[in-house]
Amino acid sequence: MKNKKLYDFLPSGNSYKVRLLFVQMGMPFERIDVNILQGETHTPDFLIKNPNGKIPVLEINSGQYLAESNAILMYLSEGTEFLPYDRFLRAQVLQWLFFEQYSHEPFIATSRFWISILGKAQEYRAAIEQKREPGYAALKVMENHLKTHNFFVSERYTIADIALFAYTHVADEGGFDLTNFPCIQGWIERVKSQPRYISIKENRDFTESIYWDELPKY
């Protein structure tokens, strides 16, 4: 079976979600770098893959593409330990994926992009300030949940954790202080302790793996 191709921008948390899941599943893939800062997601060739002009994009087969990071997580995790089989638990996973994209990512990830990737904190100062309150509100929702849970769904590590971890663990790069969120800090360490964890900055050859056949299927 040919490796799937991931059109990726290394600093992107949305892309990192997919890389992390691939590696933790032990599933080899080919990473293709797309520099969003140089407009490479808006070329005619890329827009064929994703008319929305964003990464990540997963090429499943030749000419078959899937965009949106959390949709990719759902697709890849089907039938594995990272996505519960139970109908209600799967819906809870979706609940957190929707929360991440609607109530979390637009504030924490966008601030990080302006500050740490573009390096334009002063230029975007007013907009960054507007992101503060809703960003901290999202972190508070997570903190309250984690007061009584080790992970977000069914007390086990799932793609819900991967989706929320991607931008939360680098929230400081967007100006968010996690000092007053001890439960989130503890959860971050639990995620980092999972088998085959990789950092957001890790860039290596992902085209070979020995783990895929060893993973339990659900």
Side-chain angles (χ1 to χ4, degrees):
M1 180 178 67
K2 282 188 67 175
N3 289 344
K4 293 176 172 56
K5 296 179 181 179
L6 177 65
Y7 295 85
D8 181 21
F9 179 62
L10 195 66
S12 164
N14 282 326
S15 292
Y16 170 57
K17 298 172 190 176
V18 183
R19 292 197 305 275
L20 179 57
L21 178 61
F22 260 128
V23 173
Q24 291 188 312
M25 290 195 311
M27 189 175 187
F29 67 99
E30 180 182 352
R31 196 185 84 82
I32 299 173
D33 192 64
V34 182
N35 193 326
I36 65 174
L37 302 181
Q38 295 178 5
E40 292 180 1
T41 58
H42 295 286
T43 64
D45 181 62
F46 188 86
L47 291 172
I48 292 173
K49 301 173 178 65
N50 180 14
N52 198 26
K54 295 182 179 181
I55 46 90
V57 173
L58 180 67
E59 184 173 352
I60 300 167
N61 294 302
S62 179
Q64 185 180 34
Y65 303 101
L66 182 64
E68 299 297 332
S69 59
N70 290 349
I72 297 172
L73 293 185
M74 286 291 295
Y75 173 81
L76 291 175
S77 63
E78 188 71 43
T80 76
E81 61 181 324
F82 297 95
L83 181 64
Y85 178 77
D86 178 84
R87 183 179 179 183
F88 178 66
L89 296 179
R90 288 168 69 94
Q92 285 188 313
V93 168
L94 286 170
Q95 168 187 293
W96 287 111
L97 296 186
F98 296 149
F99 167 84
E100 189 269 339
Q101 285 289 282
Y102 183 79
S103 299
H104 182 286
E105 195 263 5
F107 310 108
I108 294 172
T110 303
S111 297
R112 174 178 175 264
F113 181 74
W114 289 335
I115 294 170
S116 296
I117 296 178
L118 290 184
K120 295 183 177 181
Q122 286 303 313
E123 181 177 336
Y124 288 95
R125 182 173 56 183
I128 290 168
E129 187 57 36
Q130 292 177 349
K131 303 286 186 182
R132 285 284 177 268
E133 184 176 349
Y136 276 117
L139 292 172
K140 186 65 174 178
V141 170
M142 294 173 62
E143 178 76 8
N144 287 337
H145 182 78
L146 291 167
K147 286 178 180 178
T148 54
H149 299 82
N150 287 318
F151 297 103
F152 279 90
V153 177
S154 190
E155 290 304 298
R156 76 184 218 215
Y157 181 67
T158 70
I159 59 170
D161 299 286
I162 291 175
L164 286 163
F165 176 79
Y167 285 112
T168 302
H169 85 291
V170 290
D172 62 307
E173 296 178 10
F176 290 91
D177 185 359
L178 297 181
T179 301
N180 294 323
F181 298 91
C183 296
I184 289 180
Q185 292 181 59
W187 165 76
I188 287 173
E189 293 308 309
R190 287 191 291 277
V191 172
K192 289 182 176 180
S193 71
Q194 296 302 303
R196 297 182 291 279
Y197 170 80
I198 60 169
S199 76
I200 192 170
K201 296 178 181 179
E202 186 166 342
N203 184 20
R204 56 178 173 81
D205 183 4
F206 295 106
T207 58
E208 294 185 6
S209 175
I210 62 173
Y211 300 112
W212 176 245
D213 292 333
E214 302 173 5
L215 291 172
K217 305 298 188 293
Y218 292 83

